Amino acid sequence: MDLQRLLDWVLPPRCGGCRRLGGWLCPRCLRAIRRLEEPLCPRCGRQLAFRHDWCSCRRRMPHLARLRAAAAYEAPLSAAIHRFKYNGWRALARPLATLLTARLAVDGLPASQLVAVPLHNARQRQRGYNQSEELARALRARLGLPAPPGRLLRTRDTPPQVGLDRLRRRDNVAGAFAWSGPHGGGEPVLLIDDVVTTGATLEACAAALKLAGFGRISGITLARVSL
Ligand SMILES: [Zn+2]
Ligand SMILES: [Zn+2]
């Protein structure tokens, strides 16, 4: 057992949203999380004012066939994700993954291969774990799915996307990923990440998976930042 898991076991659980003792996501915070509801763009999952509203996402994400987020990136979920990502609250993976299963219960599970968006090695070493992989693992366990036969790698470190506009986000991550594993054989894949803003990172991952021979690529995230 590594130190973090030992700490999770010894320390009483606290809510990732409000730090209240008793559980990793308390009922009050769970109720306060704003789920994204229809009408959503059938492709990128952005909330639309009206059904059949026009959305320009197809041009921006040619490889990612469908993207869904469980909830809006707002408090208290944003606080929980921050603690999960940056403060070592690794135990939040399981309760946060239930948000993904709830979303998948609405949308259907589009693939049996669940692949996490990778961190660059240096960043993962610093953080100790990749939050997206933790989510993917918790989700696979919940759904009884095996680990995929390979993984995505970040082939170059990219500056954080925060503060970049849409175009610069796209250029920042384009070609930054590669599949390490057997040929995809046309299999569909569901990409897992914690937060989506423009979808540029997920699109770059989808392009790498397509190049490796995978079929339809979709993505799901915990939260969506509305621009
Ligand atoms: Zn709470
Ligand atoms: Zn769209």
Side-chain angles (χ1 to χ4, degrees):
M1 200 186 305
D2 62 35
L3 180 65
Q4 188 59 49
R5 281 179 200 276
L6 186 69
L7 284 175
D8 292 346
W9 185 68
V10 174
L11 296 174
R14 259 176 200 281
C15 173
C18 67
R19 299 179 55 85
R20 196 184 306 268
L21 279 168
W24 292 111
L25 269 185
C26 78
R28 205 157 77 173
C29 284
L30 267 179
R31 274 197 304 275
I33 292 172
R34 184 164 70 83
R35 307 322 195 258
L36 295 182
E37 277 161 26
E38 300 287 345
L40 303 173
C41 167
R43 194 174 171 87
C44 72
R46 186 172 69 88
Q47 261 188 318
L48 303 173
F50 306 99
R51 199 172 291 276
H52 306 306
D53 249 3
W54 186 78
C55 183
S56 65
C57 59
R58 187 178 290 273
R59 215 179 37 213
R60 282 187 287 111
M61 41 174 77
H63 301 96
L64 193 62
R66 189 178 170 88
L67 174 59
R68 285 293 179 270
Y73 189 72
E74 299 169 355
L77 179 59
S78 50
I81 291 175
H82 190 91
R83 292 186 173 114
F84 174 50
K85 252 171 116 157
Y86 301 112
N87 300 357
W89 291 38
R90 198 169 173 171
L92 279 170
R94 250 197 305 172
L96 288 174
T98 59
L99 297 176
L100 299 179
T101 44
R103 183 69 239 181
L104 290 170
V106 175
D107 278 319
L109 180 65
S112 55
Q113 306 236 26
L114 271 45
V115 173
V117 170
L119 288 177
H120 191 266
N121 274 341
R123 218 172 295 172
Q124 180 154 348
R125 264 199 305 277
Q126 187 184 18
R127 208 173 285 181
Y129 57 93
N130 171 6
Q131 72 280 357
S132 302
E133 183 56 51
E134 297 292 311
L135 281 176
R137 192 177 306 155
L139 196 54
R140 283 185 212 117
R142 178 69 60 92
L143 301 172
L145 297 173
R151 64 198 181 97
L152 277 172
L153 301 175
R154 211 177 262 255
T155 51
R156 62 181 163 83
D157 199 4
T158 55
Q161 299 276 71
V162 175
L164 299 182
D165 65 21
R166 200 182 279 282
L167 274 175
R168 272 186 293 170
R169 279 170 182 259
R170 194 186 64 193
D171 295 344
N172 189 31
V173 291
F177 301 93
W179 171 252
S180 163
H183 185 267
E187 287 284 311
V189 170
L190 178 61
L191 279 164
I192 313 288
D193 206 359
D194 52 349
V195 178
V196 60
T197 304
T198 64
T201 301
L202 284 154
E203 166 59 24
C205 288
L209 289 171
K210 281 284 187 185
L211 200 64
F214 286 95
R216 189 173 192 268
I217 315 294
S218 3
I220 188 166
T221 68
L222 291 173
R224 177 178 200 103
V225 178
S226 51
L227 287 178

